[in-house]
Amino acid sequence: MKTDSFRGRDFITLLDWTKEEVETILDVALDLKRRYAMGEYHDHLLRAKTLFMIFYNQSLRTRNSFEAGMTQMGGHAHFLDPGKIYTPAMPGKEVAYSTERVSDVARVLARMGDAISIRCYGDPVDWTYGGANDIIRNFAYWADIPVLNMECDKYHPFQALADVLTVKEKFGGFKGVKFVMSWAYSPSVHKPRAVPQSAIIAASMMGCDTVLACPPEMALDPEVITACEKYAQMNGSSFQVTDDFMGAAEGAHVLYPKAWAATPIFQPPVGENNPQKTQEIFDSYKNWKATPEYMAQGDPNAIYMHCLPADRSWEVEDAVIDGPQSAAYDEAENRLHVQKAVMSLVMR
Ligand code: CP
């Protein structure tokens, strides 16, 4: 396809991109991955370009894969700690000489570099569902350079790209692949919905038979569910939601169990701003764990996926994540390649 249309675009959610465009991104990612494996460097692609990275939350994979990717393509990734700049803030959330309005930060950085990437979810927006996505959208409104979502409270699109690239590598495609995104127990209730929401969007968009397994209190955004149903219809595939942890795994090719927040943690009107109730709900589902017995429900060639970091012994047993079915580290590696693909296409 003609890729000129990619130049200058924001990457905030896969919902803004077509299936054909996502297939092109995966093709470019595989090509860059192959070249990297052959020792072929591509530092001409983004030579002398700068990516500004603003992290309101912690990160291992995202920060290092963006930074390494920019280095490999001849550019530079600049890390910005919101607590060490004037914290970018939306109107109404400003504190004199401590914050700086997002519109000002976005326009200043856009005069100096070539893309702005942002991670923001949870505490920085007091668990107002969608508040972090609003910040990223506001950056995109004001900056006339691409804005990249490194995980907000709704979406983690680069993780989802890495997820479907891993599925493509393992199974050669998506048709007939049963992809199960499941909630799993963690003692930490402070995990956004971004990973599962983006994973089911990506899997259903690409044509997997997608299943979302979660307790009722961990239901995902109805808009995301509607989008997945639409993609399944377009692809002639299926999309199902269930609260049966073990049953969902039957015959699955991809098993992706991880924790995410229960609804009461969010501010009204989505939730009740009640972390204690959220903890009690979590603790009633301790048996939602990736064990060898769970993996045995799946297809003999089933893979275990996790975005990482994993909460070992709670979400998953060592025998699974360290075992022969684990694709978690392939998935982590693929973050590098999909991000290089998107950056090389939108930052040219
Ligand atoms: N999967 C993921 O986004 O990892 P980090 O939180 O380490 O960036």
Side-chain angles (χ1 to χ4, degrees), residues 9-299:
R9 282 175 64 184
D10 304 314
F11 201 80
I12 297 176
T13 168
L14 292 180
L15 297 173
D16 297 337
W17 294 73
T18 67
K19 179 181 179 183
E20 189 184 7
E21 288 170 338
V22 173
E23 281 171 342
T24 300
I25 291 167
L26 298 183
D27 286 348
V28 172
L30 283 171
D31 189 46
L32 290 173
K33 184 174 183 177
R34 184 184 59 79
R35 288 167 189 263
Y36 183 66
M38 299 297 287
E40 192 184 307
Y41 284 85
H42 21 266
D43 55 5
H44 61 288
L45 288 176
L46 294 179
R47 183 165 296 153
K49 300 217 173 194
T50 300
L51 169 72
F52 295 111
M53 304 186 298
I54 305 174
F55 280 96
Y56 289 82
N57 311 86
Q58 70 270 43
S59 168
L60 174 72
R61 280 141 291 273
T62 304
R63 177 177 175 180
N64 290 293
S65 52
F66 270 105
E67 202 157 327
M70 281 301 292
T71 302
Q72 290 165 21
M73 295 192 290
H76 170 68
H78 192 76
F79 176 77
L80 294 167
D81 176 349
K84 296 285 189 292
I85 54 175
Y86 307 97
T87 308
M90 296 286 273
K93 300 285 182 189
E94 291 158 298
V95 178
Y97 206 42
S98 173
T99 67
E100 185 164 1
R101 192 169 284 195
V102 166
S103 57
D104 293 344
V105 179
R107 284 178 287 184
V108 169
L109 294 179
R111 300 277 182 107
M112 299 174 181
D114 303 281
I116 303 170
S117 57
I118 302 144
R119 165 168 286 194
C120 184
Y121 56 78
D123 288 336
V125 290
D126 297 327
W127 290 90
T128 301
Y129 181 67
N133 186 262
D134 285 346
I135 289 177
I136 293 177
R137 292 267 178 212
N138 202 245
F139 263 100
Y141 178 82
W142 289 104
D144 56 5
I145 57 176
V147 168
L148 313 178
N149 180 0
M150 299 194 294
E151 187 173 9
C152 68
D153 42 14
K154 297 178 93 170
Y155 308 113
H156 197 350
F158 290 104
Q159 182 63 54
L161 283 179
D163 297 342
V164 290
L165 183 64
T166 306
V167 172
K168 188 178 166 91
E169 289 179 316
K170 300 291 181 191
F171 297 102
F174 304 102
K175 194 162 178 55
V177 172
K178 181 176 174 183
F179 182 106
V180 179
M181 181 79 236
S182 178
W183 189 84
Y185 174 72
S186 162
S188 167
V189 300
H190 294 102
K191 295 186 181 191
R193 294 167 165 177
V195 167
Q197 294 195 156
S198 286
I200 60 174
I201 288 169
S204 56
M205 174 190 273
M206 301 317 291
C208 293
D209 292 321
T210 307
V211 179
L212 170 66
C214 61
E217 299 90 341
M218 285 71 165
L220 297 181
D221 189 329
E223 283 180 23
V224 171
I225 301 300
T226 301
C228 293
E229 288 167 347
K230 185 193 77 179
Y231 288 133
Q233 197 175 26
M234 286 164 57
N235 285 315
S237 55
S238 60
F239 176 74
Q240 289 175 278
V241 181
T242 175
D243 61 1
D244 182 352
F245 179 63
M246 278 294 191
E250 274 176 29
H253 302 96
V254 178
L255 290 161
Y256 196 155
K258 81 167 295 294
W260 63 83
T263 307
I265 200 169
F266 297 109
Q267 296 284 350
V270 173
E272 305 162 32
N273 185 22
N274 192 335
Q276 192 183 331
K277 184 173 175 185
T278 308
Q279 191 74 59
E280 286 163 12
I281 292 168
F282 263 51
D283 290 346
S284 67
Y285 294 109
K286 286 185 176 172
N287 57 334
W288 287 55
K289 183 197 284 196
T291 59
E293 296 73 37
Y294 172 74
M295 293 304 296
Q297 297 291 312
D299 182 86

Side-chain angles (χ1 to χ4, degrees), residues 61 255-258 289-292 294-295 303-332:
R61 280 141 291 273
L255 290 161
Y256 196 155
K258 81 167 295 294
K289 183 197 284 196
T291 59
Y294 172 74
M295 293 304 296
I303 58 171
Y304 165 80
M305 290 181 63
H306 196 293
C307 58
L308 303 177
D311 288 326
R312 285 172 178 256
S313 85
W314 293 292
E315 288 180 307
V316 58
E317 290 186 0
D318 289 354
V320 173
I321 192 168
D322 295 328
Q325 291 174 284
S326 177
Y329 307 98
D330 301 316
E331 206 180 337

